[in-house]
Amino acid sequence: MARVANALHVGIAGLGTVGASVVRVLATKAAELTRQCGQPIMVTAVSARDRSRDRGVDLGSAKWFEDPIELAKSADIDVFVELIGGDEGAARAAVTAALESGKHVVTANKALLAKHGVALAEIAEEKGVLLNYEAAVAGGIPVIKTMRESMAGNTVSRVFGILNGTCNYILTRMEAEGISFEECLKDAQRLGYAEADPTFDIEGNDTAHKLAILTSLAFGSRIAADEVYMEGISNITQADIRAAADLGYRIKLLGVAQQTDSGIEQRVHPTMVPTASVIAQVHGVTNAVAIETDILGELLLSGPGAGGNATASAVVGDIADIAKSQPGFQHGPVFGRPAKKLTPYKKAEIRSHAGGYFIRLTVHDRLGVFATLAKRMAENEISLESIVQQAHGEPNAKQKTVILVTHETTESLVRKAVDAVTNDGLLVDKAQVIRIERAE
Amino acid sequence: MARVANALHVGIAGLGTVGASVVRVLATKAAELTRQCGQPIMVTAVSARDRSRDRGVDLGSAKWFEDPIELAKSADIDVFVELIGGDEGAARAAVTAALESGKHVVTANKALLAKHGVALAEIAEEKGVLLNYEAAVAGGIPVIKTMRESMAGNTVSRVFGILNGTCNYILTRMEAEGISFEECLKDAQRLGYAEADPTFDIEGNDTAHKLAILTSLAFGSRIAADEVYMEGISNITQADIRAAADLGYRIKLLGVAQQTDSGIEQRVHPTMVPTASVIAQVHGVTNAVAIETDILGELLLSGPGAGGNATASAVVGDIADIAKSQPGFQHGPVFGRPAKKLTPYKKAEIRSHAGGYFIRLTVHDRLGVFATLAKRMAENEISLESIVQQAHGEPNAKQKTVILVTHETTESLVRKAVDAVTNDGLLVDKAQVIRIERAE
């Protein structure tokens, strides 16, 4: 295809659900996009694994590249859109090639950014091109733009969110229908909300990748996705969900990044949030991000975190931002502050985490159990907000459930107390410990 | 003050709470802002009514202008920040002068934009300068940037929100404490959440101004703030709030703009939203905006809608966006599409509004009242989702309360039915009619 003057030429690598949706939106909304951007946006080149597949979209006269890296370097394009996926291989090579040849890049690839984002940002900033990645975190929610642009002048203290739709879908159904984690997961897989191998979602890795990117934007630190503390949702039971509801909480898998005296906490775990908080009402596959700062206060964004169209919306927004800029424009830094000035990530250990805790214990129904429990808590300076004993079904049951809710304490004290109770031989089952998160 | 090369020179007119906060943030966060923007942001000139007042901030060597219009035109500045207020007079004259002399403008002035926004945008676009106004709608919530930039390619079907903190504060306390509107208003005034003359807030004018700006961004139409249908919250009673709660609703003052077959609805009125929806959890002075589109789906943003710091955060974000751009940069249009290409606003009349309705009637306790009520509804093709009769205190009370909730119908049918019931002489008091809004 010959170059058209005064048009932004876009090359798209990866034509799955998101890629096809991007092509469709750029075509059907061409007139309005041209009005908004001051120039037409044209898909002039594409690359994908299977050329013959019917994607339900008209690729027009776009040039077909077998090799995405060749596409990335091609003189036919101004912007390279990477929708290949994966943190190495073709995605990494193509994005690097595009940036090095002075092309703007738009990507939805959280894994790539979590691993190589800072290095790629350095290339982009050196070359004076944009690296836009709104779709990489929380799908259609404009959290990258908000943190990178709207929050200039704000010092962030905490950012937290529901960043994985699969987990939120499962937890929402567990609560609404009273069914087990396993049953929900099977259903989610059947309906296409969970992968055949769901480990990456339910154990928190996906959330950790997204959180690590938000941490960098929030605190001006280098991305450290390997330093995220992770607990998944697979051991959450109906007993936890019911006890949470009784206490005025709902369980969500949150990613939380927080500035503390000893460094920055990055943690992904099932979390109790107050039922009356806004984030507690975020149901199903919907995502949400809350950001707390010194000047603005608390901001919450919620919306679709995945899906072809929502992700495409973020990709198109990123492309439009590039179309509105002119050659030679000096862009804001990729991660808010210039990549070379990002500080090393200083980790706050999970053991130093301060907060409230929910502790569910299944104990032998023996004389003196309560007294011992209370003693172990007191020895570890843990003060209790509430202690609830739940009778089991049969009147002569040999075990009881005890639910403790602590006032603010630390992870290390809670672990010591739980270890002591375990060593006392009081427990029938492993103790269940769930962190409580402040939320408005 | 002499011009410093490679720095963005800012002039601020209006040094009230917001202005002082902007000065403070630009000073205390100078190093980080310089890192983010690639150049320092310096307040080089100011203007305010009272030069002698102590504002608790250091104005440094900023040049003082008695006349904001002189400041707007001054060669000492690159950006004019208008925090004077008012839709005419100094604010309008100064913003016009700044744009005409080729300066970028940042304003928090919703009244000015609601009235003259399109004309000002035309000047800005002709001169190739930015007119940024994030602070004008929903304070610290980045709804302008989201709609103007992130939603490129999306066609909006509805935008609605809690846009006035005073009203939401009053409704929240009425529900939480069971006290009357009048009592809440007095307390809000005492605590500084409501003005001495609260009319502008509680009758919906403030919400209407903000809504009219969002309507333009959503639908690419010219701003038509005078065409907003308005009902305030002053006639909301405890009876309404309790009945709403019983039915699974909460009452919020919403601004709603919606595309319909006959045009665009713009309406501000007390609204029943489902208690389990996210927007129903937005309490106190917090604001929220929900945007529904064809591609992204539904996005919700919530956060502080007013206050010196939250508003200053939005102003600083707008200034930083300008600092990141270079002279000669071609900017996106002020209201999403170029001002000259905004379409005339085509009004959808409130009488054609389609939706569910809550109708609270205080009726004489006579034989046949129910039959007549039912007949009038049926005559007007209104089908009922529920009908609840509330017994009054005394067993022999001569009046009853009847609460009707309709399935989707139209405003004109509801008005006809209520008029008929009124003419039948069934009512002790004026009927209370509250629209129900779909929300997730």
Side-chain angles (χ1 to χ4, degrees), chain B residues 164-306:
Chain B
N164 182 275
T166 305
C167 288
N168 205 48
Y169 174 84
I170 290 173
L171 291 171
T172 301
R173 284 201 57 188
M174 283 178 72
E175 187 188 348
E177 299 171 33
I179 53 181
S180 71
F181 168 78
E182 290 74 17
E183 206 175 330
C184 276
L185 174 59
K186 263 187 215 146
D187 232 39
Q189 287 171 318
R190 196 176 51 78
L191 295 164
Y193 293 137
E195 308 277 341
D197 178 358
T199 318
F200 200 76
D201 289 316
I202 64 170
E203 295 306 336
N205 306 72
D206 174 74
T207 301
H209 280 163
K210 295 167 182 167
L211 180 67
I213 295 168
L214 296 184
T215 303
S216 182
L217 284 163
F219 304 111
S221 55
R222 295 174 70 88
I223 299 172
D226 292 341
E227 305 275 19
V228 180
Y229 174 83
M230 280 195 303
E231 282 173 28
I233 63 166
S234 54
N235 70 341
I236 297 297
T237 66
Q238 279 299 324
D240 298 320
I241 286 174
R242 286 193 306 268
D246 288 345
L247 293 160
Y249 292 104
R250 194 164 272 161
I251 300 175
K252 297 288 185 189
L253 184 78
L254 293 191
V256 186
Q258 186 172 13
Q259 185 80 61
T260 75
D261 291 342
S262 63
I264 297 166
E265 284 183 6
Q266 289 188 108
R267 47 194 169 85
V268 174
H269 51 71
T271 311
M272 301 257 180
V273 291
T275 311
S277 64
V278 179
I279 205 162
Q281 317 309 318
V282 174
H283 301 305
V285 295
T286 304
N287 282 17
V289 185
I291 310 153
E292 280 179 5
T293 81
D294 56 345
I295 302 168
L296 175 49
E298 183 169 333
L299 187 71
L300 183 131
L301 318 175
S302 81

Side-chain angles (χ1 to χ4, degrees), chain A residues 123-143:
Chain A
I123 305 174
E125 289 166 14
E126 197 187 300
K127 295 286 180 181
V129 293
L130 278 164
L131 171 54
N132 282 348
Y133 52 95
E134 189 61 83
V137 181
I141 303 176
V143 61

Side-chain angles (χ1 to χ4, degrees), chain A residues 46-79:
Chain A
V46 293
S47 175
R49 246 177 291 180
D50 180 2
R51 186 164 186 170
S52 61
R53 205 175 120 209
D54 179 12
R55 297 176 169 87
V57 291
D58 181 9
L59 293 170
S61 52
K63 191 166 165 184
W64 185 278
F65 283 79
E66 295 299 328
D67 181 357
I69 300 161
E70 287 308 309
L71 167 58
K73 293 193 281 194
S74 158
D76 295 322
I77 63 166
D78 307 308
V79 181

Side-chain angles (χ1 to χ4, degrees), chain B residues 316-346:
Chain B
V316 171
D318 277 351
I319 298 172
D321 272 353
I322 295 167
K324 285 174 201 160
S325 78
Q326 272 189 333
F329 169 59
Q330 178 196 320
H331 305 290
V334 176
F335 292 103
R337 73 164 71 164
K340 284 187 192 305
K341 291 186 181 166
L342 293 169
T343 56
Y345 171 73
K346 190 182 173 214

Side-chain angles (χ1 to χ4, degrees), chain A residues 21 25 29 32-33 35-39 134 139-142 145-146 148-155 220 275-278 281-283 286 293-304 309-314 316-318 320-321 323-326 328-333 336-338 341 440, chain B residues 21 25 29 32-33 35-39 134 139-142 145-146 148-155 220 275-278 281-283 286 293-304 309-314 316-318 320-321 323-326 328-333 336-338 341 440:
Chain A
S21 184
V25 173
K29 304 298 179 73
E32 185 61 28
L33 284 167
R35 254 194 299 269
Q36 290 180 11
C37 300
Q39 62 175 323
E134 189 61 83
I141 303 176
K145 186 178 271 285
T146 295
R148 188 160 77 163
E149 301 175 19
S150 301
M151 293 204 157
N154 283 270
T155 302
T275 310
S277 64
V278 180
Q281 317 308 318
V282 174
H283 303 304
T286 304
T293 81
D294 55 345
I295 301 168
L296 175 50
E298 183 171 332
L299 188 71
L300 182 132
L301 317 177
S302 81
N309 279 340
T311 309
S313 171
V316 171
D318 277 352
D321 272 354
K324 286 175 200 160
S325 79
Q326 272 189 334
F329 170 57
Q330 178 196 321
H331 306 290
R337 77 166 66 165
K341 291 186 179 165
E440 276 168 28
Chain B
S21 184
V25 173
K29 304 298 179 71
E32 184 62 28
L33 283 167
R35 254 194 300 269
Q36 291 182 8
C37 300
Q39 63 175 322
E134 188 63 83
I141 302 176
K145 186 178 271 285
T146 296
R148 191 160 75 164
E149 300 174 20
S150 302
M151 294 205 156
N154 282 271
T155 302
T275 311
S277 64
V278 179
Q281 317 309 318
V282 174
H283 301 305
T286 304
T293 81
D294 56 345
I295 302 168
L296 175 49
E298 183 169 333
L299 187 71
L300 183 131
L301 318 175
S302 81
N309 279 341
T311 310
S313 170
V316 171
D318 277 351
D321 272 353
K324 285 174 201 160
S325 78
Q326 272 189 333
F329 169 59
Q330 178 196 320
H331 305 290
R337 73 164 71 164
K341 291 186 181 166
E440 276 166 29

Side-chain angles (χ1 to χ4, degrees), chain A residues 244-300:
Chain A
D246 288 345
L247 292 160
Y249 291 104
R250 194 164 272 162
I251 300 176
K252 296 289 184 188
L253 183 78
L254 293 190
V256 186
Q258 185 170 14
Q259 184 80 63
T260 75
D261 291 342
S262 62
I264 296 166
E265 284 182 6
Q266 289 188 110
R267 48 194 168 84
V268 174
H269 51 71
T271 312
M272 301 257 181
V273 292
T275 310
S277 64
V278 180
I279 205 162
Q281 317 308 318
V282 174
H283 303 304
V285 295
T286 304
N287 282 17
V289 185
I291 311 153
E292 281 179 4
T293 81
D294 55 345
I295 301 168
L296 175 50
E298 183 171 332
L299 188 71
L300 182 132

